[in-house]
Amino acid sequence: MNFLDELNEIQREAVVNFEGPTLIVAGPGSGKTRVLTYRIAYLLQQGASPFSVLSLTFTNKAAEEMRHRIEKIAGTNARSLFMGTFHSVFARILRVEAPRLGYPSNFTIYDTEDSRSLIKSIIKEKNLDDKIYKPNQIQYRISSAKNALILPDDYLLDAELTEEDRTAKKPETGAIYKAYCERCFKSGAMDFDDLLLKTHEILNTFPEVLYKYQHKFKYVLIDEFQDTNPLQYSIVKRIADAFQNITVVGDDAQSIYAFRGATIDNILNFEKDFPDLKVFKLEQNYRSTEQIVKAANKLIAHNKNQIKKEIWTSNGSGENIKIVRSPSDKEEGKFVADSILETKMRNRLMNSDFAILYRTNAQSRVFEESLRRVNIPYKIYGGMSFYQRKEIKDLLAYLKLAINHYDEEALKRVINYPARGIGQTSIDKIITTAINEGKRAWDILETIDFHDFPSRTKNSIDEFVSMVKSFAVLAKEKNAYEVTIHAAKITTLLSELHNDKTVEGLSRYENIQELLNGIKEFVEEDVVGEGEDEALLSDKSLGSYLQNITLLTGDEKDKDNIDTVKLMTIHSAKGLEFPVVFIVGMEENLFPAGQSIYSLEDLEEERRLFYVAVTRAERKLFLSYASTRYKFGSLQYCEPSRFLKEIPEEILSILGDLKREQSKQMLNKLSTTIKVPTPSPKPLTGIENFVPDDVSNLQTGMDVIHEKFGEGKVIAMDGQAANRVATIFFEGFGQKKIMLKFAKLKILKHS
């Protein structure tokens, strides 16, 4: 069969009309990759030389998959295509042209770690404080400058940039940038940003080189064009100027990488640079149901800056989108885990059919814990489990050391983090001395005055030992949260991460805050015991918390090869699809993010991010939010996200109390609405002849009587086997958590 027969009408038009500037606006699930692949294959079939085709992607995986597909249609010719990522293709060009700029043709490419190492060296050589001039922050600043086409000399002359550096108490940033570039040049090395910057420089400095590549690449094709930055677009625009056979494929509604330097302006203003532009809109969605597609259309219509299109599907109506309100973020996690269990059984689905999408990495914690409790295997996509993240392990190591000074792994992890002048040589010497003397490493630290170490190192070790001992004293007097927040501040871990304003630094700080939120939740959780067990269950000490969290995380296994639920940020989900999707944390100041609501451009990017999340779903979509959430250690009330209001009511099923958004009339129509009553004081009458029942089979929804709290309703069940905990609402007393093995309850039988 002719491969063109596999395409719908508009897809076919986009493939066969390959001359001149072309914009292919590809909605979600519209067959974008197939169209781009077939367009290149058709080009080759029509006699174009594979050496004349330049095809740029954003991942090596995408490039290889496309090349493989093209080869199946057009044969081995496809192997000669100039196809790859921007960086890999421009590196090939620079291998030939770099000597024009004084670089060797076999120049070295520095990866992120190489670049950071060089920056560290320069900071040290300039006798600058690396606690102020943090290498990763300087690296981020240099990268941003390069991608904005700001060279070192221009940077030093830019009053705004130098004033920003002075305000940040880093006035030598420009000098470091200049020294870094000079050292790279002397070493015959380029970093990843240079692969773009130097290509741009050569094309603009040497007209004969520009002419050469303009006439070599008669056809230029770019995938995910909405994700390009100004530097990338400037290069390809120059190359395509001669023949103007430039094809860009993308979706402005899925432009979500501004924080990486991408600009939506490239796709929105493409027609200004190429007035003879042909536009093909791929609007048929092959992925999702009508309800999901309708929600996405209505949502994105609120954005002012966009290319108008109307996505449609013939996949059938499908189920309404479900909006869920939970009393707290912990209950939100429980709802999602329970819903996955129920939906799996009812629809015979696999774990891999489910995805939980969130705005920030830190949100994964409650969902990881909830999934573990019901034994659902999961995998963090594009990241790592919450408790395996470096910053989390660092703070937990301090806490473990406070409880157990002899924990050598915890000791080695934090004895010099944040840096306090105890180098690796000293650490190795401490361990070796302990082994030789048959002692523990902590014993050596406590008696450091009697060992052969430099006085400066001894002082640093003395301060470290005193600090850890002070944590131990505090741990005997205060609860887990009070000890942890104190340790986070005194060790300077909190300020270290707070001062790192890079994207990664902000994420690490959010993770630490989420750990603190979890500990605060643990401390304030009201779990009821009986008699002598009351003290055991109400133990909120640091030791109790660490034992609890160790048991929770101790069953980590390699989940790469088993059927798992996927957890990921929405940014990581782009390009993926799942039968069932939960978008969680749909709250103001979380999604949209708090810093985005004061700028139209930022708010529209947040809406595009939500659009991407919605369009990952094939059959079922849940939108979830919590009424309360711990933030910075205190319980805060949350407003539902404004984005929820932008989805038509007629395609929603509401599973929670959305009084702020919905009328009472609509709430009354929805039998599935759950309302958790507000406690109101009520005197308790005595219960005579109280005899507790066997509650091993207690279930959500049952009515019970407690000897102290009176009548109540079971609103949630957590845990497994002997550790099951019931959350029960008692009128006049509110919610109480009661561990069943200690519970004294009578189950009410209804006639």
Side-chain angles (χ1 to χ4, degrees):
M1 184 177 75
N2 188 324
F3 67 91
L4 294 177
D5 294 338
E6 299 175 23
L7 305 173
N8 64 35
E9 183 179 349
I10 192 69
Q11 288 175 333
R12 184 187 174 98
E13 288 295 309
V15 166
V16 301
N17 289 283
F18 58 83
E19 296 288 346
T22 304
L23 169 61
I24 301 174
V25 182
S30 63
K32 165 184 72 72
T33 303
R34 172 178 287 187
V35 169
L36 184 56
T37 301
Y38 284 9
R39 186 176 174 94
I40 296 172
Y42 187 74
L43 257 174
L44 299 181
Q45 278 196 348
Q46 299 305 302
S49 165
F51 298 100
S52 70
V53 178
L54 172 61
S55 177
L56 296 166
T57 65
F58 274 85
T59 67
N60 288 308
K61 182 181 177 184
E64 286 308 308
E65 286 178 356
M66 283 177 58
R67 191 189 301 276
H68 183 66
R69 288 194 196 184
I70 295 165
E71 193 173 333
K72 279 187 174 180
I73 299 169
T76 56
N77 256 356
R79 297 175 189 175
S80 301
L81 289 165
F82 236 80
M83 175 180 284
T85 64
F86 283 86
H87 292 93
S88 66
V89 167
F90 295 161
R92 287 173 66 183
I93 291 174
L94 287 170
R95 290 294 177 202
V96 177
E97 309 298 343
R100 295 173 182 270
L101 297 177
Y103 287 86
S105 59
N106 61 342
F107 60 86
T108 300
I109 299 176
Y110 279 174
D111 63 16
T112 303
E113 287 306 312
D114 296 327
S115 298
R116 193 168 298 166
S117 177
L118 175 55
I119 291 169
K120 283 181 183 177
S121 298
I122 294 169
I123 291 169
K124 186 175 182 180
E125 290 160 13
K126 288 182 174 290
N127 295 314
L128 298 171
D129 187 346
D130 61 4
K131 292 179 181 178
I132 296 174
Y133 291 89
K134 294 181 180 176
N136 61 326
Q137 295 179 19
I138 299 297
Q139 184 179 37
Y140 181 78
R141 186 77 165 170
I142 290 172
S143 177
S144 299
K146 287 184 177 183
N147 280 286
L149 287 171
I150 301 172
L151 299 176
D153 288 339
D154 300 321
Y155 189 103
L156 289 165
L157 293 172
D158 191 304
E160 186 175 342
L161 291 173
T162 52
E163 180 57 35
E164 286 176 5
D165 291 338
R166 274 195 295 272
T167 303
K169 298 181 180 178
K170 301 172 188 173
E172 296 300 311
T173 300
I176 296 171
Y177 178 19
K178 186 176 179 67
Y180 171 78
C181 292
E182 289 172 349
R183 292 279 282 276
C184 283
F185 182 74
K186 287 178 182 177
S187 299
M190 297 188 196
D191 62 23
F192 287 142
D193 296 315
D194 285 330
L195 298 177
L196 304 180
L197 188 63
K198 300 305 177 184
T199 301
H200 182 274
E201 185 178 345
I202 284 173
L203 294 178
N204 282 273
T205 306
F206 302 98
E208 67 277 18
V209 178
L210 176 61
Y211 181 89
K212 172 184 173 181
Y213 288 102
Q214 283 181 336
H215 288 77
K216 175 178 175 60
F217 299 127
K218 295 182 179 178
Y219 300 95
V220 178
L221 302 98
I222 307 168
D223 191 15
E224 302 287 5
F225 185 61
Q226 76 281 347
D227 295 335
T228 54
N229 63 34
L231 180 53
Q232 289 165 330
Y233 178 46
S234 178
I235 294 169
V236 293
K237 181 177 176 294
R238 294 301 303 274
I239 291 174
D241 265 350
F243 292 95
Q244 303 233 332
N245 291 324
I246 180 171
T247 301
V248 299
V249 183
D251 182 6
D252 59 294
Q254 297 185 65
S255 177
I256 59 172
Y257 292 118
F259 68 95
R260 291 183 190 168
T263 172
I264 193 174
D265 292 340
N266 286 351
I267 192 168
L268 293 179
N269 299 328
F270 190 61
E271 190 169 3
K272 292 180 182 177
D273 292 326
F274 297 94
D276 297 329
L277 185 70
K278 294 192 291 287
V279 179
F280 299 96
K281 296 181 181 180
L282 308 183
E283 297 174 302
Q284 182 174 1
N285 179 294
Y286 291 93
R287 176 187 300 156
S288 307
T289 63
E290 288 178 7
Q291 304 292 55
I292 294 169
V293 168
K294 184 176 181 181
N297 280 333
K298 294 295 185 182
L299 173 74
I300 204 64
H302 287 79
N303 270 14
K304 180 180 178 182
N305 298 311
Q306 63 169 298
I307 298 170
K308 293 292 183 183
K309 56 186 174 298
E310 188 73 19
I311 307 302
W312 62 277
T313 185
S314 58
N315 286 346
S317 178
E319 298 182 12
N320 274 11
I321 294 162
K322 302 190 172 51
I323 294 186
V324 185
R325 181 198 69 89
S326 297
S328 67
D329 52 346
K330 186 171 184 179
E331 292 297 327
E332 181 184 35
K334 182 185 182 303
F335 166 81
V336 171
D338 290 347
S339 296
I340 290 173
L341 273 179
E342 180 185 347
T343 308
K344 266 179 64 180
M345 290 186 290
R346 186 173 292 175
N347 298 277
R348 298 184 179 180
L349 296 173
M350 305 282 285
N351 290 321
S352 56
D353 292 324
F354 296 84
I356 303 171
L357 309 183
Y358 35 76
R359 179 65 181 84
T360 66
N361 273 306
Q363 290 171 258
S364 76
R365 179 187 64 85
V366 290
F367 301 102
E368 291 186 61
E369 293 177 3
S370 295
L371 292 171
R372 281 198 189 100
R373 287 191 177 105
V374 293
N375 294 319
I376 296 177
Y378 67 87
K379 182 179 179 182
I380 307 289
Y381 185 94
M384 62 178 67
S385 175
F386 182 82
Y387 291 101
Q388 294 304 313
R389 293 167 190 164
K390 179 186 181 300
E391 58 276 11
I392 301 301
K393 290 173 77 82
D394 289 338
L395 184 49
L396 288 177
Y398 272 110
L399 303 182
K400 290 175 181 177
L401 207 54
I403 297 301
N404 174 18
H405 299 338
Y406 302 133
D407 186 335
E408 189 172 302
E409 290 307 306
L411 176 65
K412 288 191 292 187
R413 185 173 190 94
V414 297
I415 190 171
N416 196 44
Y417 182 76
R420 54 176 58 89
I422 306 172
Q424 190 59 48
T425 302
S426 297
I427 296 169
D428 292 341
K429 189 174 180 181
I430 291 165
I431 302 298
T432 303
T433 304
I435 293 170
N436 291 340
E437 296 185 11
K439 296 180 178 179
R440 295 162 169 146
W442 181 262
D443 297 330
I444 304 303
L445 296 183
E446 283 194 303
T447 57
I448 197 67
D449 287 341
F450 303 103
H451 294 84
D452 182 24
F453 281 84
S455 57
R456 183 178 175 183
T457 303
K458 285 182 178 181
N459 290 336
S460 296
I461 290 174
D462 275 338
E463 289 174 5
F464 175 73
V465 169
S466 297
M467 178 178 67
V468 172
K469 284 183 175 180
S470 73
F471 297 162
V473 171
L474 196 66
K476 293 175 182 177
E477 303 169 351
K478 303 290 186 180
N479 64 40
Y481 178 76
E482 291 171 310
V483 180
T484 305
I485 192 69
H486 176 77
K489 291 176 180 176
I490 295 300
T491 60
T492 70
L493 256 176
L494 207 55
S495 58
E496 181 95 359
L497 295 173
H498 182 264
N499 293 333
D500 184 351
K501 301 304 182 184
T502 64
V503 175
E504 296 80 6
L506 291 171
S507 178
R508 286 192 287 268
Y509 181 70
E510 287 174 351
N511 289 338
I512 287 290
Q513 289 297 340
E514 182 58 26
L515 177 66
L516 293 170
N517 292 340
I519 299 174
K520 184 76 169 187
E521 190 176 80
F522 166 81
V523 166
E524 296 189 350
E525 191 172 51
D526 188 8
V527 181
V528 179
E530 302 287 343
E532 63 184 18
D533 299 308
E534 185 85 40
L536 176 67
L537 293 174
S538 60
D539 182 1
K540 304 301 182 182
S541 68
L542 180 60
S544 177
Y545 171 76
L546 289 173
Q547 181 180 17
N548 181 67
I549 210 66
T550 301
L551 291 172
L552 186 65
T553 61
D555 61 348
E556 283 292 302
K557 301 179 184 72
D558 180 8
K559 302 184 179 75
D560 285 346
N561 298 316
I562 58 177
D563 179 34
T564 56
V565 172
K566 300 299 186 292
L567 281 71
M568 66 191 80
T569 63
I570 301 167
H571 283 101
S572 298
K574 190 166 177 292
L576 303 177
E577 56 189 42
F578 302 90
V580 185
V581 169
F582 293 82
I583 307 174
V584 298
M586 292 298 305
E587 298 143 31
E588 284 292 293
N589 298 314
L590 182 54
F591 198 13
Q595 67 269 24
S596 70
I597 61 177
Y598 304 107
S599 157
L600 175 64
E601 291 77 13
D602 291 345
L603 185 59
E604 291 201 346
E605 173 134 341
E606 289 288 296
R607 187 176 286 109
R608 292 195 295 270
L609 190 59
F610 185 37
Y611 177 86
V612 166
V614 167
T615 54
R616 298 312 94 197
E618 296 173 356
R619 289 151 50 187
K620 295 175 185 287
L621 176 62
F622 293 80
L623 307 176
S624 169
Y625 77 95
S627 294
T628 61
R629 185 179 296 272
Y630 278 95
K631 294 179 182 177
F632 304 105
S634 63
L635 190 65
Q636 296 186 10
Y637 290 92
C638 307
E639 292 284 340
S641 170
R642 68 188 68 195
F643 296 151
L644 297 179
K645 302 176 187 177
E646 298 174 359
I647 299 174
E649 291 182 2
E650 65 270 17
I651 63 172
L652 297 176
S653 290
I654 300 178
L655 305 184
D657 182 3
L658 295 184
K659 286 188 283 188
R660 291 184 181 88
E661 290 75 38
Q662 310 294 338
S663 65
K664 289 183 179 179
Q665 181 181 4
M666 183 176 181
L667 284 173
N668 291 335
K669 288 193 294 182
L670 298 169
S671 60
T672 52
T673 297
I674 301 168
K675 292 186 180 180
V676 179
T678 303
S680 55
K682 179 180 178 181
L684 183 66
T685 56
I687 302 171
E688 296 182 6
N689 303 319
F690 184 86
V691 180
D693 290 331
D694 174 11
V695 291
S696 57
N697 293 316
L698 194 68
Q699 301 294 329
T700 301
M702 287 184 173
D703 294 316
V704 296
I705 295 179
H706 186 275
E707 195 169 16
K708 178 180 177 183
F709 304 123
E711 288 191 21
K713 179 178 283 292
V714 181
I715 60 174
M717 296 293 300
D718 288 296
Q720 295 289 309
N723 295 319
R724 293 184 79 207
V725 175
T727 302
I728 305 174
F729 178 83
F730 295 100
E731 189 173 352
F733 293 91
Q735 291 183 29
K736 300 290 180 183
K737 290 183 181 291
I738 301 179
M739 189 168 281
L740 292 195
K741 66 182 177 183
F742 302 122
K744 291 182 180 178
L745 299 168
K746 192 169 186 61
I747 300 173
L748 285 176
K749 308 289 193 300
H750 296 285
S751 57

